[in-house]
Amino acid sequence: MKPVEIAKGIYDVGVKDWNIRDFHGHSTHMGTSYNSFLIVDSKIALIDAVKKEFSDELIDNISQIVDPKKIDVVISNHTEMDHSGGLPRVMHRVGEDKPLYCSKMGQKNLSLHFPQHFNYHAVENGETLNLGRYTLSFMETRMLHWPDSMFTYLNEEKILFSSDAFGQHYAGYEKFDDCVTEDIMLQAKKYFANILLPYAPLILKLVEQVTAMGLDIRMICPDHGIIWRKDPGKIIDAYVGWSRQNSGKKAVIVYDTMWHSTEKMARAIADGLSEQGVAVRPMHLRRSDRSDIMTEVLDARAVVVGSPTLNNGLFPSLGDFLTYMKGLKPKNKIGAAFGSYGWSGESVKLITQELEAMKFEMIDPGVKVQYVPDEKALAACFDLGRKIGQAM
Ligand code: FEO
């Protein structure tokens, strides 16, 4: 793809990964992009590289604007390999003596990824770099979402290069928020739910700090997906809302099933919730990707989890999902468990223990049914749904 000039002398020279469908375990139905930004001024700076496999494409894109050897400084906002994997190749072309700007933790982490002795320059928080008519400021954003993460801000154009924050896994020729539909917000939400959710308190603190600083942001350039130029406040406000986790009247029923008994229970619970005016999303674990389920969990008040008992334990897909959800640390949730069993019936107890460990407010001991739910059992499930709905 041709580089795009996003502001005077500033180019997106990044690449599209059109066909990636599994990004270290997340489903990426719309592919993704690895954005990289070239600033051509008296000095020339490159912000972030791309995944290793796309290094040559990045270098070709840069070469359409300038000879890579003319780049004076390379900036690494984040060490994760979708942005640093191409660094060795880029530094080789740019010149390994050229300064590589990063945070202090960036220097440590890049050194642990690459054996080359790059000419690191670890920036102080708030340090600036003058390129000529443009000046860059560096802002540490530790644990958003790695210890090395930082933002780079272009003062004169008020552009925030935000690394992973505000990104979306989306590959498209459309470059800006005013060129895409509202669907992009779903991709941004999915990105937040699966990558940034554990750090929600830090995000709220950062937004407070940036507001107190009076930092004017005209454009946000994340490392994935589209650039926010029409309304950067929209994605910032969305991040604040998602970080607060003030959920609406919504429930997700996450379950697996062997012979449809637990599934019948899920449907009866969904009916009870729906009767209470709750928006319900029943999600079968082997039909839905865990990252799509977490996207729904993000703004749900209730998460109701069901599993058959298999060999005295949970169905394996539940182990996967509960481990994943626990790591993402969702807050302000109410929960309940349900499941069918043949002869031992541990699943409800095991789910309850897991949800309690995640600090879910458990509002019912749960419903368990031997073999196949009869009308009475389904009525109990319906009542459980109603009870959860009334607790919202
Ligand atoms: Fe897009 Fe944390 O890497």
Side-chain angles (χ1 to χ4, degrees):
M1 259 178 94
K2 279 186 185 313
V4 176
E5 188 172 24
I6 60 170
K8 192 171 168 44
I10 303 165
Y11 302 85
D12 181 357
V13 288
V15 302
K16 308 289 180 221
D17 195 348
W18 295 100
N19 292 304
I20 186 169
R21 293 293 179 266
D22 180 336
F23 188 96
H24 65 40
H26 302 161
S27 66
T28 45
H29 308 295
M30 306 192 77
T32 195
S33 67
Y34 312 112
N35 301 341
S36 171
F37 301 96
L38 185 73
I39 303 175
V40 180
D41 201 345
S42 303
K43 284 184 179 169
I44 299 174
L46 180 73
I47 301 180
D48 288 327
V50 298
K51 216 173 184 179
K52 185 179 178 183
E53 302 89 293
F54 294 87
S55 310
D56 286 343
E57 198 176 330
L58 170 63
I59 288 163
D60 286 349
N61 290 348
I62 294 168
S63 302
Q64 291 182 52
I65 311 295
V66 294
D67 181 341
K69 286 193 177 61
K70 291 190 173 164
I71 291 175
D72 297 285
V73 52
V74 175
I75 296 158
S76 170
N77 278 332
H78 177 29
T79 303
E80 195 164 6
M81 283 187 280
D82 48 330
H83 311 295
S84 72
L87 266 180
R89 181 111 180 89
V90 166
M91 294 309 291
H92 180 71
R93 289 296 303 273
V94 168
E96 287 182 2
D97 58 326
K98 300 283 179 65
L100 175 54
Y101 277 52
C102 55
S103 66
K104 287 193 184 77
M105 287 304 291
Q107 176 169 352
K108 180 180 172 202
N109 288 350
L110 287 167
S111 305
L112 292 168
H113 279 72
F114 305 109
Q116 294 88 339
H117 296 288
F118 295 128
N119 180 17
Y120 290 111
H121 176 92
V123 300
E124 297 293 335
N125 189 32
E127 185 175 328
T128 59
L129 170 65
N130 183 261
L131 299 175
R133 67 182 185 280
Y134 290 145
T135 309
L136 299 174
S137 300
F138 303 104
M139 187 189 309
E140 263 196 275
T141 55
R142 201 173 275 210
M143 293 319 299
L144 289 176
H145 69 121
W146 274 26
D148 46 70
S149 299
M150 69 174 192
F151 289 172
T152 298
Y153 179 72
L154 199 161
N155 296 271
E156 293 75 10
E157 292 287 342
K158 307 183 192 322
I159 299 176
L160 184 69
F161 298 95
S162 62
S163 184
D164 279 334
F166 312 118
Q168 337 87 49
H169 283 309
Y170 173 78
Y173 280 92
E174 305 82 2
K175 180 58 54 190
F176 299 100
D177 53 347
D178 47 295
C179 307
V180 292
T181 67
E182 221 17 56
D183 290 351
I184 202 69
M185 291 307 289
L186 178 60
Q187 299 307 320
K189 181 183 166 194
K190 181 171 179 176
Y191 196 93
F192 182 95
N194 287 280
I195 296 183
L196 293 158
L197 181 58
Y199 313 108
L202 292 177
I203 290 168
L204 291 173
K205 203 181 275 184
L206 180 69
V207 171
E208 254 175 44
Q209 276 172 1
V210 167
T211 307
M213 285 162 65
L215 195 71
D216 194 6
I217 299 173
R218 188 176 68 81
M219 190 186 290
I220 298 176
C221 297
D223 274 354
H224 299 284
I226 57 105
I227 291 166
W228 307 93
R229 74 172 175 190
K230 183 183 172 205
D231 187 6
K234 181 176 174 177
I235 188 66
I236 295 172
D237 290 346
Y239 264 51
V240 169
W242 294 330
S243 297
R244 287 186 178 141
Q245 297 183 71
N246 292 330
S247 316
K249 208 165 176 181
K250 174 177 169 183
V252 181
I253 303 177
V254 189
Y255 69 97
D256 212 323
T257 194
M258 292 168 71
W259 295 104
H260 303 292
S261 290
T262 304
E263 185 161 59
K264 284 176 187 162
M265 297 174 75
R267 287 188 183 162
I269 294 167
D271 288 347
L273 280 158
S274 183
E275 192 223 44
Q276 293 296 310
V278 177
V280 195
R281 304 275 184 279
M283 302 186 86
H284 185 311
L285 270 166
R286 279 176 293 143
R287 304 280 181 276
S288 306
D289 188 86
R290 64 170 96 85
S291 53
D292 290 318
I293 298 175
M294 275 313 299
T295 308
E296 296 293 346
V297 165
L298 176 64
D299 55 2
R301 173 78 173 113
V303 184
V304 191
V305 181
S307 173
T309 294
L310 176 67
N311 301 328
N312 303 107
L314 294 174
F315 198 76
S317 57
L318 268 295
D320 175 291
F321 177 72
L322 290 170
T323 301
Y324 185 62
M325 183 163 72
K326 192 179 200 171
L328 289 167
K329 300 184 175 66
K331 300 272 190 304
N332 306 332
K333 304 295 180 200
I334 59 176
F338 65 98
S340 67
Y341 67 99
W343 48 95
S344 57
E346 290 89 344
S347 69
V348 168
K349 189 178 85 183
L350 292 170
I351 291 168
T352 300
Q353 286 170 354
E354 289 292 327
L355 296 182
E356 282 175 346
M358 293 179 222
K359 300 192 168 40
F360 279 39
E361 181 193 342
M362 302 302 285
I363 60 155
D364 190 274
V367 179
K368 65 180 192 177
V369 168
Q370 190 165 24
Y371 290 117
V372 178
D374 59 12
E375 278 188 22
K376 194 173 157 202
L378 291 174
C381 292
F382 184 85
D383 285 345
L384 175 61
R386 287 171 85 179
K387 188 173 173 184
I388 298 165
Q390 285 161 0
M392 287 186 190

